[in-house]
Amino acid sequence: MGSSSSENNNVEKRRDMFHSEYHNLPSSSARIPIKAWKTLAILSCVATMVMYAETMLIPAIPDLIKNFDVSYSMSSWILTAYLISGAVMTPIAGKLSDIYGKKKILLIIMVIYVVGVSTAGLATNLFFMIIARAIQGVGLSMFPIAFGIVRDQFPREKISIGQGVITSMFASGAVIGLLVGGTIIEDYGWQFTFFTIIPVAITLLLVIRRFINVDKESALYQDEEQSNQVIGTYRSTVTNNIRTESPARRIDIKGAITLAIAVTSFLLAFTYMETGFAGSNSSGNTTYFSEQVVLYIVAGSISFILFIITENRTKYPLVDFKLMLNKAILPANLIIMIVGLSMFMVFQTIPILVRNPEPLGFGEDAIKAGHVQLPFAVVLLVFGASSGFIISKLGSLKAIIGGSIVTAISFFSLLTFHSSESLISANLALLSVGLSLTSVGAMNVIILTTPKEFIGISLGTTMLIRIVGSSIGPAVAGMYMQTHQSALYILGIVQTFPSLVSFDMIFLTAVLLSIVSIALALLLRMRVMKMSVPNLT
């Protein structure tokens, strides 16, 4: 008993010493090395390229429908295939990076991405294009790996800065894609949008191979690794019985298959709802909630249940539910899902509101629609990077709570004041501030509460959740605009457009989701405060 008590006292002393040293690190250890900044710059360029590729094709959808002679619902697969592929591959890539190394898997994904981009520009039919876009969608899975590399090379208290910079590059890629993509399509054709990416992707592939070096154990964490017993005690407190054995050198195939079916089925259901897929009942009346949608929902539900059963039974799961259900990680992931949902709900809604004919909209063209959204993208670009510095000073929890409140206020303002383009632009700028703070803060919580050996699978799961949320946002907006329409006489022809009620319903839903985000942020604060995790408060 005496020996055990003495040993426990020694562990407590070592843990206290670790926390004391951790909170009083010399100033040199808190500086960001030049190597880390170079790595961040390269990964930021990758983020910009991928988001440009994702958005630049949107203006070309009418051209693709005409060239391939397909309906709008079928053409939606050009975007959906990209998203489904990215959603399914993201946790798989995170797992592979844990097993085989971040740089190796990142290079492989980049090669696959170059192949997808090259073949998409050569597509001559819809089937060919869908396959190429699915290959290209694998590129989305590189982002959890990128965040993991930033985690390894940045000091713990400065990680949010690296996150913020990469996050802001998503916005820059979207701005370039929406503004430049339309011009390229108009002057050179939609194929050239893909061809412009090829040299950039190949250059970044070579740069990554040459200049990014991921050490097995980052020098920034050497002091941590020298205190294994202390950190083991600390990690067990933070992670609440998360698996601690090293990842096995194998992939959970059953989990990957059931996850792929579940995600595909649910996204298909949302896709058909969003694009106005309709069936007919026995009396010949059109019904927007068709039997096919019900079938996809049932298939997705069954597959998801099987996925959960599989993951709970396998020794080395694709998604560790003990990790996901951690008291800090779960609410942070839900907040990130709401951020993705809200952001893409805006992307779906605002262009339609601006381009709707008066009095249902402002009757503007595509260029003006881009200008109305420009403040959102510019603020996201600038504030996304600065939010990392803000969080490094204030802590993640204050940023998440403040960001969620700002988001709720901006959506309420959009609900109340969207009678002019200037009001919409101002509200979107405010919304961008809230979403930036919330997103970077929540990601910082996940990174700092996840054990280092599980960071790949954790961030992979987080990106999956964000992508799924991003998929739901446009679908929800599409359903509202589909079920609330008004008729207008234009040049003697009756045409239907989304009504003002549909936009009110969309903004009201966003307000309610923002309130949920605030509640989750407060819950997260309460739980993290009990854990006493460094650099979060």
Side-chain angles (χ1 to χ4, degrees):
M1 290 290 292
S3 174
S4 176
S5 175
S6 176
E7 184 178 341
N8 288 336
N9 288 335
N10 288 334
V11 171
E12 290 293 332
K13 288 179 181 178
R14 288 196 299 269
R15 184 176 59 189
D16 292 340
M17 180 180 67
F18 169 73
H19 281 293
S20 176
E21 291 177 354
Y22 190 89
H23 288 288
N24 296 281
L25 288 171
S27 59
S28 61
S29 65
R31 288 199 297 264
I32 301 175
I34 298 297
K35 173 187 173 183
W37 283 118
K38 290 180 179 178
T39 300
L40 181 62
I42 295 170
L43 296 177
S44 297
C45 290
V46 173
T48 302
M49 176 195 68
V50 172
M51 286 305 297
Y52 162 74
E54 183 177 354
T55 56
M56 56 88 189
L57 193 63
I58 293 175
I61 294 297
D63 300 301
L64 292 166
I65 292 174
K66 181 179 179 180
N67 291 355
F68 296 153
D69 192 23
V70 295
S71 65
Y72 183 81
S73 60
M74 285 301 297
S75 71
S76 67
W77 276 96
I78 297 170
L79 301 177
T80 302
Y82 179 88
L83 191 62
I84 291 175
S85 174
V88 173
M89 280 302 302
T90 292
I92 296 175
K95 178 75 171 181
L96 288 171
S97 72
D98 284 336
I99 298 173
Y100 299 107
K102 298 180 181 67
K103 180 176 179 178
K104 182 183 295 184
I105 300 303
L106 180 60
L107 288 172
I108 293 173
I109 291 174
M110 284 292 293
V111 170
I112 296 173
Y113 183 77
V114 172
V115 172
V117 169
S118 303
T119 54
L122 301 174
T124 57
N125 57 67
L126 182 64
F127 183 71
F128 192 162
M129 173 63 80
I130 289 174
I131 293 176
R133 288 287 286 172
I135 297 172
Q136 186 185 348
V138 174
L140 287 176
S141 65
M142 69 178 72
F143 291 111
I145 301 174
F147 282 121
I149 293 174
V150 170
R151 181 195 191 275
D152 288 344
Q153 299 198 8
F154 272 63
R156 183 183 177 92
E157 60 270 35
K158 302 292 185 180
I159 289 175
S160 60
I161 295 174
Q163 281 188 69
V165 172
I166 293 180
T167 301
S168 68
M169 292 302 102
F170 283 95
S172 69
V175 170
I176 296 171
L178 291 173
L179 295 181
V180 178
T183 303
I184 294 175
I185 292 165
E186 184 69 24
D187 295 339
Y188 304 102
W190 61 264
Q191 294 90 343
F192 202 77
T193 58
F194 290 106
F195 297 150
T196 59
I197 302 172
I198 296 174
V200 178
I202 294 176
T203 301
L204 285 173
L205 175 63
L206 297 175
V207 169
I208 290 171
R209 185 175 183 274
R210 173 67 179 83
F211 293 104
I212 289 186
N213 297 307
V214 182
D215 301 326
K216 279 190 174 181
E217 302 295 339
S218 174
L220 295 168
Y221 294 92
Q222 282 181 356
D223 291 339
E224 222 175 300
E225 296 303 324
Q226 290 172 358
S227 306
N228 264 341
Q229 288 181 313
V230 177
I231 295 176
T233 304
Y234 173 71
R235 277 182 178 163
S236 65
T237 302
V238 174
T239 56
N240 293 318
N241 298 321
I242 294 174
R243 290 181 176 92
T244 56
E245 64 265 20
S246 298
R249 288 185 171 272
R250 64 183 185 183
I251 298 298
D252 175 20
I253 300 299
K254 292 181 181 178
I257 293 174
T258 52
L259 175 64
I261 295 174
V263 172
T264 301
S265 299
F266 283 127
L267 290 183
L268 278 171
F270 279 118
T271 298
Y272 282 131
M273 292 180 200
E274 176 189 353
T275 56
F277 183 87
S280 298
N281 57 24
S282 57
S283 61
N285 296 322
T286 299
T287 172
Y288 286 100
F289 203 71
S290 65
E291 294 178 359
Q292 287 87 344
V293 173
V294 175
L295 179 63
Y296 287 132
I297 292 176
V298 171
S301 301
I302 293 174
S303 299
F304 186 67
I305 292 171
L306 291 175
F307 172 68
I308 294 175
I309 295 173
T310 301
E311 298 305 277
N312 284 330
R313 289 182 177 179
T314 187
K315 188 175 182 180
Y316 302 105
L318 183 69
V319 175
D320 193 326
F321 282 104
K322 289 185 179 180
L323 188 66
M324 278 190 62
L325 297 177
N326 172 262
K327 290 183 178 181
I329 294 175
L330 178 60
N333 273 327
L334 293 176
I335 289 170
I336 286 176
M337 174 182 278
I338 292 175
V339 168
L341 193 157
S342 302
M343 185 177 297
F344 279 81
M345 187 183 291
V346 167
F347 290 159
Q348 172 75 10
T349 303
I350 299 302
I352 296 176
L353 173 58
V354 174
R355 299 195 66 181
N356 254 11
E358 295 179 322
L360 302 179
F362 302 108
E364 302 287 359
D365 57 19
I367 296 176
K368 187 62 177 179
H371 290 167
V372 171
Q373 288 184 285
L374 192 58
F376 179 90
V378 171
V379 172
L380 190 65
L381 174 61
V382 175
F383 204 82
S386 61
S387 62
F389 292 93
I390 294 172
I391 289 171
S392 69
K393 297 294 183 182
L394 299 180
S396 300
L397 298 178
K398 292 178 183 177
I400 296 172
I401 295 172
S404 297
I405 293 173
V406 171
T407 299
I409 292 173
S410 60
F411 273 127
F412 182 78
S413 185
L414 272 173
L415 172 64
T416 310
F417 308 107
H418 57 265
S419 57
S420 71
E421 296 165 39
S422 58
L423 282 174
I424 292 175
S425 293
N427 288 325
L428 289 179
L430 182 64
L431 174 63
S432 189
V433 173
L435 292 178
S436 296
L437 281 173
T438 305
S439 177
V440 178
M443 186 69 78
N444 207 42
V445 169
I446 292 170
I447 289 176
L448 294 181
T449 54
T450 300
K452 186 178 179 183
E453 62 268 25
F454 294 102
I455 194 66
I457 189 173
S458 179
L459 292 179
T461 302
T462 297
M463 291 301 294
L464 168 64
I465 291 172
R466 182 172 187 142
I467 292 172
V468 171
S470 300
S471 307
I472 295 173
V476 171
M479 284 189 291
Y480 281 131
M481 288 187 283
Q482 193 176 66
T483 54
H484 298 83
Q485 296 189 346
S486 297
L488 292 177
Y489 284 95
I490 299 178
L491 300 176
I493 301 174
V494 178
Q495 300 183 39
T496 58
F497 301 91
S499 67
L500 296 177
V501 174
S502 68
F503 300 116
D504 289 338
M505 294 295 294
I506 291 169
F507 296 139
L508 177 60
T509 300
V511 171
L512 297 177
L513 287 171
S514 301
I515 293 174
V516 173
S517 182
I518 294 173
L520 288 170
L522 294 174
L523 175 63
L524 179 61
R525 181 181 184 277
M526 179 179 66
R527 290 180 172 181
V528 170
M529 292 295 288
K530 290 181 179 180
M531 293 178 180
S532 300
V533 182
N535 299 320
L536 285 183
T537 58

